[in-house]
Amino acid sequence: DGGITQSPKYLFRKEGQNVTLSCEQNLNHDAMYWYRQDPGQGLRLIYYSQIVNDFQKGDIAEGYSVSREKKESFPLTVTSAQKNPTAFYLCASSSAGGRTEAFFGQGTRLTVV
Amino acid sequence: SQQGEEDPQALSIQEGENATMNCSYKTSINNLQWYRQNSGRGLVHLILIRSNEREKHSGRLRVTLDTSKKSSSLLITASRAADTASYFCATSPPDSNYQLIWGAGTKLIIKP
């Protein structure tokens, strides 16, 4: 049963903490993406990766970091440098970047407490 | 760097009626894609239309693309309560193989 899995579904972060959001796919896709969505807004690109061990900053990369050590996995770390991290985070993958459809995980809702 | 702009921002119609949403964009594209997002969930791909195509159908969905006007429309016929969701367009620029540029979405409410 192929798909893309994000965990956890809900995450709470204290001030000054780093937290890591998990994203795993078994679709054998090369491209993976992290987006941030704020209420009533569209998607803003944080980072994307075209292949293993390579990733590129998106429009709002400041305060975030990623790694791509395995094709299946693209974790996102929200660092303490991200001053307004409360948002809905979506991970996606595709076989040929923007040339084909993207498959999305169910999202992680991060809240600062 | 949002390129797509959906119109209207919100749409409320009776079940059984048709719903039309529009997307305008600023630069040339390789393709344009429509996605649906139920509240608090991930996005689901609906249709991809390439720049050399003018119309595509999928079940009750019809998408048109007018590259001269840099616009696309998504028509949902015979709407159902389950169609209640936000709908987003995303464009793939020709100078980037890997990026999609997203609009802010249209929130569609189907009243039973």
Side-chain angles (χ1 to χ4, degrees):
Chain A
D1 193 17
I4 181 164
T5 302
Q6 287 185 243
S7 63
K9 189 170 181 179
Y10 300 98
L11 187 58
F12 298 91
R13 192 192 95 166
K14 294 181 180 178
E15 297 282 349
Q17 250 185 354
N18 293 354
V19 291
T20 297
L21 284 60
S22 170
C23 178
E24 303 276 333
Q25 54 100 357
N26 60 5
L27 300 166
N28 199 35
H29 286 169
D30 286 315
M32 295 189 74
Y33 305 82
W34 274 106
Y35 292 99
R36 171 178 171 142
Q37 186 178 33
D38 292 287
Q41 303 295 314
L43 277 63
R44 292 188 290 168
L45 182 64
I46 304 173
Y47 270 97
Y48 67 98
S49 170
Q50 302 175 18
I51 55 172
V52 174
N53 293 322
D54 181 69
F55 48 82
Q56 307 295 328
K57 291 182 179 180
D59 300 318
I60 56 165
E62 186 175 349
Y64 300 97
S65 66
V66 294
S67 62
R68 188 86 187 273
E69 297 176 0
K70 298 187 299 181
K71 189 175 187 177
E72 306 79 28
S73 179
F74 191 40
L76 173 74
T77 296
V78 184
T79 75
S80 57
Q82 172 49 244
K83 297 306 178 189
N84 184 24
T86 295
F88 191 52
Y89 292 87
L90 287 159
C91 180
S93 71
S94 70
S95 60
R99 299 291 186 253
T100 58
E101 67 180 288
F103 291 78
F104 282 81
Q106 289 303 301
T108 293
R109 188 166 300 281
L110 174 63
T111 304
V112 174
V113 297
Chain B
S1 59
Q2 285 193 338
Q3 171 164 239
E5 295 286 339
E6 284 93 340
D7 168 53
Q9 290 187 337
L11 179 61
S12 180
I13 61 173
Q14 291 293 141
E15 193 168 22
E17 293 180 340
N18 294 344
T20 299
M21 288 158 275
N22 303 297
C23 171
S24 60
Y25 56 92
K26 297 184 177 66
T27 64
S28 60
I29 61 171
N30 175 276
N31 67 67
L32 185 145
Q33 304 180 32
W34 284 93
Y35 289 78
R36 184 186 76 234
Q37 183 182 32
N38 290 92
S39 182
R41 307 295 294 273
L43 279 72
V44 174
H45 182 264
L46 297 175
I47 287 183
L48 182 153
I49 186 164
R50 303 192 190 286
S51 59
N52 60 352
E53 297 175 311
R54 292 297 167 257
E55 188 171 309
K56 284 189 88 167
H57 297 254
S58 176
R60 295 183 296 113
L61 306 181
R62 172 178 168 248
V63 167
T64 61
L65 179 65
D66 187 334
T67 53
S68 66
K69 295 181 180 178
K70 292 187 169 59
S71 69
S72 173
S73 67
L74 169 66
L75 169 67
I76 303 174
T77 60
S79 64
R80 306 167 181 169
D83 295 328
T84 293
S86 291
Y87 292 82
F88 294 89
C89 69
T91 53
S92 173
D95 58 346
S96 171
N97 287 333
Y98 287 88
Q99 290 209 21
L100 280 176
I101 303 173
W102 297 84
T106 292
K107 189 176 176 70
L108 176 65
I109 296 173
I110 309 298
K111 296 179 286 187

